[in-house]
């Protein structure tokens, strides 16, 4: 295989998890029949070694980091079921990667109900299953009615972040759809379902979680922790100056929970990827704002087409050495991939 791009946010589903996708069908494609839509979608998610690999060969993608599609374990409110979902998915994905480790790697699915258990599963995934980090889909659903939301910026999650730092692997933050309680009439999205998903809602919701993590003090307590945000950082790089400007205001600075501001953490603890946001001007802005070494290539397969991602990448008018850093070098170094830089 000729050296090509490394795509780091590429989704799959394990066979046992297919049934759970049906509840999101009408949100993904409102105008289509749910069963028809999800049948095609399931095939794309289940496929690793056939059409996916063929498209990689045809379009010049050397390597993909695979992860369980959203909402994954974060959509399961029952702790024991969520933990089992993670174990099953990680075992399955590890087995698939072993079939072709020169072309595929994996990020671990994690139930985040219990930070100690999540840390243990991440450790197992890295040490025993040879995975290169973990992925969480925004907040963890909780409660008997699945109406609770738990975010990972509180002190409760320190045992998890301590293990992340110890293992030296990144955690990818990925969006998810709103829960059913947020879709009732008279709620924010109840009459505005056209705003749901990747175009608007995903980055609005996940950016909140990312701001919360950056300002929580986690990176002060565990300064080596690295997280990753797709879709050009869920819009945050374009608001970094203003967010940091007000976070540094005398009215806030003396009482804020973190030592540094958002710009600092995005330059030291956060990396962004191009997944599903093929904007050359946007990428150039991110490079200028947070640095070349903080920008990575990703496609968002199968929600985005491999060919579309690669066709865009070929048109990006950056110097060849900078494109190499974004397309390969940064991913190899951040995730410690077994590939030549």
């Amino acid at each position: 295989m000729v050296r090509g791009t490394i795509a780091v946010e590429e989704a799959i589903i394990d066979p046992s998890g297919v049934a759970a996708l049906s509840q999101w069908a009408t949100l993904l494609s409102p105008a289509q029949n749910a069963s028809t839509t999800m049948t095609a979608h399931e095939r794309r998610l289940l496929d690793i070694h056939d059409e996916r690999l063929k498209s990689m060969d045809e379009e010049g993608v050397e390597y993909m980091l695979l992860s369980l599609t959203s909402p994954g374990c974060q959509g399961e409110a029952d702790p024991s079921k969520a933990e089992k979902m993670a174990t099953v998915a990680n075992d399955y994905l590890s087995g698939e990667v072993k079939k072709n480790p020169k072309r595929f790697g994996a990020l671990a699915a994690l139930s985040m109900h219990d930070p100690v258990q999540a840390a243990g599963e991440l450790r197992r995934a890295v040490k025993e299953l040879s995975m290169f980090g973990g992925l969480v889909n925004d907040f963890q659903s909780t409660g008997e009615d699945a109406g609770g939301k738990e975010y990972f910026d509180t002190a409760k999650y320190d045992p998890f972040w301590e293990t992340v730092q110890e293992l030296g692997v990144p955690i990818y933050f990925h969006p998810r759809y709103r829960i059913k309680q947020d879709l009732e009439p008279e709620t924010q999205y109840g009459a505005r379902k056209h705003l749901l998903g990747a175009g608007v809602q995903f980055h609005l919701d996940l950016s909140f979680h990312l701001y919360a993590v950056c300002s929580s003090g986690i990176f002060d307590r565990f300064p080596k922790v690295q997280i990753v945000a797709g879709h050009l950082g869920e819009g945050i790089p374009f608001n970094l100056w203003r967010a940091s400007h007000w976070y540094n205001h005398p009215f806030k600075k003396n009482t804020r929970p973190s030592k540094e501001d958002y710009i600092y953490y995005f330059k030291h603890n956060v990396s962004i990827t191009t997944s599903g946001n093929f904007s050359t001007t946007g990428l150039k802005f991110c490079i200028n704002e947070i640095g070349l070494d903080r920008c990575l290539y990703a496609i968002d397969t199968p929600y985005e087409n491999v060919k579309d991602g690669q066709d865009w990448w070929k048109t990006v008018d950056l110097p060849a050495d900078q494109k190499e850093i974004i397309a390969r070098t940064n991913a190899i170094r951040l995730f410690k991939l077994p590939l030549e830089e």
Side-chain angles (χ1 to χ4, degrees):
M1 174 67 190
V2 178
R3 286 163 63 98
T5 57
I6 298 171
V8 299
E9 187 198 311
E10 319 307 321
I12 62 97
I13 190 71
D14 67 287
S16 68
V18 169
L21 289 176
S22 61
Q23 63 182 305
W24 311 105
T26 56
L27 297 180
L28 178 66
S29 187
Q32 298 186 45
N33 176 272
S35 60
T36 302
T37 302
M38 292 310 292
T39 298
H41 187 46
E42 288 163 10
R43 287 198 299 268
R44 292 190 292 269
L45 284 166
L46 285 167
D47 173 61
I48 295 175
H49 306 289
D50 297 319
E51 290 302 315
R52 184 187 301 242
L53 184 58
K54 180 181 177 183
S55 67
M56 290 168 64
D57 289 339
E58 290 174 348
E59 305 301 333
V61 178
E62 179 181 350
Y63 192 86
M64 279 189 178
L65 266 181
L66 307 176
S67 52
L68 184 65
T69 194
S70 182
C73 307
Q74 276 61 70
E76 178 50 68
D78 183 285
S80 61
K81 291 181 179 179
E83 290 171 11
K84 182 178 180 181
M85 182 187 294
T87 300
V88 170
N90 291 337
D91 287 345
Y92 168 80
L93 187 48
S94 174
E96 292 302 303
V97 166
K98 287 178 181 177
K99 295 176 182 178
N100 195 350
K102 291 185 178 180
R103 305 300 298 280
F104 298 108
L107 299 177
L110 301 167
S111 165
M112 296 295 284
H113 287 279
D114 179 347
V116 175
Q117 190 279 333
E121 179 60 17
L122 179 63
R123 184 183 302 279
R124 184 183 79 91
V126 172
K127 296 294 187 180
E128 299 179 22
L129 303 181
S130 300
M131 292 185 167
F132 299 104
L135 182 142
V136 293
N137 293 291
D138 202 352
F139 59 88
Q140 179 66 55
S141 288
T142 62
E144 292 185 4
D145 65 348
K149 300 176 183 178
E150 193 145 26
Y151 296 89
F152 315 139
D153 63 316
T154 65
K156 169 183 174 178
Y157 286 94
D158 276 6
F160 174 76
W161 294 116
E162 183 177 19
T163 299
V164 171
Q165 176 167 269
E166 176 193 337
L167 293 172
V169 296
I171 300 296
Y172 207 116
F173 273 68
H174 189 277
R176 58 174 292 188
Y177 280 108
R178 282 292 181 111
I179 59 176
K180 65 179 182 179
Q181 289 88 340
D182 294 337
L183 304 180
E184 295 297 323
E186 309 305 325
T187 62
Q188 182 182 17
Y189 287 99
R192 306 175 184 88
K193 291 186 175 63
H194 57 284
L195 298 177
L196 293 169
V200 177
Q201 173 250 320
F202 278 3
H203 73 261
L204 292 180
D205 288 356
L206 188 56
S207 64
F208 163 81
H209 201 167
L210 292 166
Y211 279 123
V213 169
C214 286
S215 59
S216 66
I218 285 172
F219 297 138
D220 301 325
R221 297 190 295 276
F222 310 107
K224 295 182 180 179
V225 164
Q226 298 294 317
I227 65 173
V228 185
H231 320 110
L232 294 183
E234 307 297 351
I236 292 178
F238 307 97
N239 190 52
L240 267 180
W241 184 90
R242 182 170 170 82
S244 295
H245 170 69
W246 281 100
Y247 196 51
N248 287 324
H249 196 284
F251 292 158
K252 292 180 177 289
K253 192 169 185 179
N254 291 335
T255 58
R256 69 187 190 189
S258 66
K259 295 178 181 178
E260 308 294 345
D261 60 21
Y262 300 108
I263 290 175
Y264 178 91
Y265 296 120
F266 259 72
K267 289 184 175 183
H268 291 83
N269 302 93
V270 183
S271 294
I272 64 100
T273 82
T274 65
S275 61
N277 198 340
F278 306 146
S279 167
T280 300
T281 53
L283 174 59
K284 288 181 177 180
F285 183 91
C286 291
I287 292 170
N288 289 332
E289 192 74 2
I290 64 174
L292 182 69
D293 292 343
R294 289 281 157 187
C295 301
L296 289 75
Y297 180 71
I299 298 170
D300 209 353
T301 317
Y303 299 94
E304 300 289 348
N305 186 276
V306 171
K307 186 177 188 306
D308 290 344
Q310 289 293 98
D311 283 350
W312 165 71
W313 183 244
K314 293 168 186 174
T315 70
V316 174
D317 56 337
L318 289 171
D321 60 334
Q322 292 189 16
K323 292 187 73 170
E324 180 79 359
I325 289 170
I326 295 170
R328 291 182 51 85
T329 308
N330 287 342
I332 293 171
R333 292 178 181 175
L334 180 63
F335 292 98
K336 301 180 177 65
L337 302 177
L339 302 172
E340 291 185 8
E341 292 188 18

